[in-house]
């Protein structure tokens, strides 16, 4: 392994995924107290990031499975999930405890929900990764991929660490049901607006 490429990979991952730590902390807070929720969140994070990597590697090798014009519309995924989470929070607040008990059985966010947010939030990363991968060659791309996949676990640990700090955990337990929808909606709108989707 070339230490220079490893260092570049760590830096590139950190710069392009810093916002994921907050989203992961919110997901871990939402799944707190539900057996297996951490595993589902990690699985979802890996699914979403592996999809980002696959698209970036394919594009670097000359195949374009995801046209550039489609990327801004990925913002619809976190926007829809944020609206769904906001609706759930609103109905839980205004309905009886039956729904809360029913929701408690769900065990926090599912892997596909986490994967969708990860992929949509990282859609713009693809544009950064493609030229880097294309110039790195097959060997360099492999190093980037391995480092990125190791760092996904580090990011999950950091998100869980934040969500379990007493002060942060208390704040997330109190406000997480409001923060998660707001963050997801903001991410969705930001992706749509920055990408010029729907002529925005």
């Amino acid at each position: 392994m070339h230490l220079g490429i490893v260092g570049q990979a760590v830096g590139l991952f950190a710069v392009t995924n810093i916002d994921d730590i907050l989203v992961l902390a919110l997901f871990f807070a939402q799944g707190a107290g539900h057996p297996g929720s951490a595993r589902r969140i990690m699985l979802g994070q890996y699914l979403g990031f592996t999809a980002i990597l696959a698209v970036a590697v394919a594009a670097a090798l000359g195949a374009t499975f995801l046209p550039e014009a489609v990327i801004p519309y990925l913002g619809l995924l976190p926007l829809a999930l944020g609206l769904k989470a906001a609706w759930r929070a609103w109905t839980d607040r205004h309905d009886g405890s039956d729904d809360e008990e029913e929701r408690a059985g769900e065990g926090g966010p599912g892997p596909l929900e986490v994967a969708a947010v990860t992929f949509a939030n990282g859609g713009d990363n693809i544009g950064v990764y493609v030229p880097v991968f294309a110039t790195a060659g097959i060997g360099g791309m492999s190093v980037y991929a391995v480092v990125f996949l190791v760092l996904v676990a580090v990011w999950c640990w950091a998100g869980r660490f934040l969500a379990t700090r007493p002060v942060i955990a208390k704040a997330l337990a109190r406000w997480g049901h409001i923060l998660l929808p707001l963050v997801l909606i903001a991410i969705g709108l930001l992706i749509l607006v920055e990408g010029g989707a729907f002529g925005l």
Side-chain angles (χ1 to χ4, degrees):
M1 282 227 204
H2 307 285
L3 289 178
I5 295 180
V6 171
Q8 290 169 15
V10 169
L12 184 62
F13 184 91
V15 166
T16 55
N17 292 287
I18 196 71
D19 54 339
D20 274 354
I21 292 179
L22 171 63
V23 177
L24 281 166
L26 288 167
F27 278 140
F28 280 116
Q30 188 183 34
H34 299 287
S37 69
R39 188 173 60 246
R40 288 190 292 277
I41 293 165
M42 283 191 73
L43 174 61
Q45 185 72 4
Y46 267 102
L47 286 173
F49 197 80
T50 302
I52 290 169
L53 265 183
V55 171
V57 167
L61 295 174
T64 50
F65 297 118
L66 196 62
E68 199 172 314
V70 171
I71 291 176
Y73 295 96
L74 291 175
L76 293 171
L77 288 170
L79 180 62
L81 290 169
L83 291 171
K84 178 185 170 190
W87 176 256
R88 184 184 303 158
W90 189 79
T91 56
D92 281 352
R93 185 175 174 200
H94 291 89
D95 289 350
S97 59
D98 292 335
D99 278 347
E100 287 176 17
E101 287 169 18
E102 204 176 294
R103 306 254 194 261
E106 292 174 6
L112 293 180
E113 182 180 352
V114 175
V117 171
T118 302
F119 185 76
N121 194 27
D124 56 338
N125 295 2
I126 294 168
V128 177
Y129 297 161
V130 170
V132 174
F133 288 178
T135 56
I138 300 293
M141 257 194 289
S142 302
V143 174
Y144 273 100
V146 168
V147 171
F148 283 5
L149 292 173
V150 168
L151 288 175
V152 168
V154 173
W155 248 233
C156 287
W157 175 85
R160 190 170 186 193
F161 178 82
L162 279 176
T164 56
R165 297 307 88 203
V167 173
I168 297 171
K170 187 176 178 182
L172 290 177
R174 184 170 183 187
W175 300 106
H177 66 289
I178 295 169
L179 281 176
L180 182 64
L182 287 177
V183 167
L184 293 179
I185 290 167
I187 288 170
L189 290 174
L190 192 64
I191 293 169
L192 290 169
V193 171
E194 283 188 348
F198 304 112
L200 298 173

